[in-house]
Amino acid sequence: MSDDRRVTIVSHGPNCLDGLTCAVVAARYFAGSDMNTVFASNNEIDTVLQGYGPEDPTAEQLWITDISWRHDSTDAHLNKLIDDGLEVYWVDHHKTAMDRRAVGHLDVRFTDFVLEDTYAASRLLYEYLCERASKRGQSRPGLLALHNLVMMADDVDRWVLAVEGSRELGLAVRAMDQATAYRVLLSMDSRLTYGPELEEARERVRADLDKTFELADRTRHVEDVPSLGLKVVTAECDGFAGEVAHRWTGEFDDAVF
């Protein structure tokens, strides 16, 4: 298990704060290494992984974060590369991945993996790499400086929303193109100071939220369902339906939005 190998990280995208933060965490840990970063959606991941085939697997390591794949043929492809000398690491937190692996899918002979739902993938990866650096006596100040970003990504991805500004950051990142969002997050300081690009995205999101809240408030209808002991709340939304429902949650004891 050598950090001298070329690193490819394949992470969940586009514009998923958790997936982007995984890539940032890896980039900070492997700073100075030859590194290739790829983002893939759930519909793209099998194609991306099956298209990955280094000329010399013994000189490469592959990290797959915040995402799983659908086809057993991808398992076979990765296992063949592992047999040829590739190191493969996997970090994921989705229950669907756990359920599929429990019944025999995602059957890859990983060099190492973390598969649990305690935290979002970025936090799992961060803690894994911090522990790895400590055990190897490595100094990784750039990695440690990501603590606040990782906590925000974990907070918003699990919809805990206990960290101030986490959802705002997630929405701002979603409003940016993927390459810009990754570059901005990679360059952020430990205080998460917003630069011009992130500020501009945040302001666009705020304006869009104002519009969708106005529309939702104007079209809201509440229907009692006595037999179920709840209310059904409906409204029109121009995006951001989750934010609308979250804002209204405190107004009702039991409701479906």
Side-chain angles (χ1 to χ4, degrees):
M1 296 185 288
S2 171
D3 288 346
D4 296 331
R5 294 181 176 217
R6 184 174 189 268
V7 179
T8 293
I9 178 167
V10 178
S11 196
H12 184 217
N15 291 40
C16 165
L17 182 58
D18 192 30
L20 284 164
T21 302
C22 284
V24 170
V25 167
R28 290 284 184 91
Y29 178 86
F30 291 107
S33 299
D34 182 10
M35 186 167 179
N36 178 40
T37 303
V38 179
F39 295 101
S41 68
N42 294 326
N43 290 331
E44 298 168 332
I45 185 63
D46 284 279
T47 300
V48 168
L49 292 179
Q50 292 190 34
Y52 172 75
E55 292 184 10
D56 180 8
T58 64
E60 299 251 357
Q61 54 180 302
L62 173 65
W63 292 73
I64 308 166
T65 58
D66 194 35
I67 196 166
S68 61
W69 45 100
R70 301 176 179 180
H71 303 306
D72 292 344
S73 54
T74 302
D75 297 355
H77 177 68
L78 293 175
N79 281 325
K80 172 62 169 58
L81 291 174
I82 291 168
D83 290 342
D84 291 340
L86 180 71
E87 292 181 4
V88 180
Y89 300 83
W90 181 39
V91 179
D92 199 8
H93 69 119
H94 293 104
K95 187 177 184 301
T96 50
M98 298 176 197
D99 291 345
R100 294 193 67 241
R101 186 166 171 85
V103 295
H105 301 292
L106 303 170
D107 185 20
V108 175
R109 297 185 294 277
F110 299 104
T111 307
D112 203 0
F113 71 95
V114 181
L115 181 60
E116 59 178 80
D117 61 1
T118 309
Y119 301 120
S122 53
R123 185 168 175 180
L124 295 175
L125 179 64
Y126 176 78
E127 294 187 352
Y128 177 89
L129 289 177
C130 283
E131 182 179 1
R132 173 168 160 155
S134 177
K135 287 180 178 179
R136 297 183 179 193
Q138 299 168 332
S139 176
R140 293 288 190 273
L143 174 66
L144 297 177
L146 290 175
H147 179 267
N148 290 339
L149 174 61
V150 168
M151 293 303 104
M152 277 200 167
D154 174 67
D155 181 68
V156 70
D157 198 73
R158 294 190 295 123
W159 205 262
V160 178
L161 304 186
V163 179
E164 184 179 356
S166 66
R167 187 57 181 160
E168 183 180 55
L169 178 61
L171 291 173
V173 165
R174 195 171 77 181
M176 305 170 79
D177 71 83
Q178 182 172 269
T180 301
Y182 174 61
R183 174 174 52 76
V184 166
L185 291 179
L186 186 58
S187 64
M188 288 185 82
D189 59 30
S190 60
R191 295 167 297 181
L192 303 184
T193 306
Y194 275 45
E197 291 165 310
L198 206 47
E199 281 285 4
E200 192 276 333
R202 177 164 64 177
E203 290 307 312
R204 278 192 285 118
V205 168
R206 285 175 174 172
D208 289 342
L209 280 171
D210 287 343
K211 291 178 182 177
T212 202
F213 284 139
E214 188 279 328
L215 174 62
D217 288 336
R218 178 162 40 87
T219 60
R220 188 168 87 170
H221 175 72
V222 180
E223 189 76 27
D224 282 305
V225 185
S227 62
L228 298 177
L230 55 78
K231 299 178 186 295
V232 176
V233 185
T234 64
E236 294 182 40
C237 299
D238 187 8
F240 305 102
E243 280 64 41
V244 173
H246 182 70
R247 174 181 283 191
W248 289 348
T249 297
E251 299 182 33
F252 302 91
D253 292 329
D254 295 287
V256 174
F257 298 98

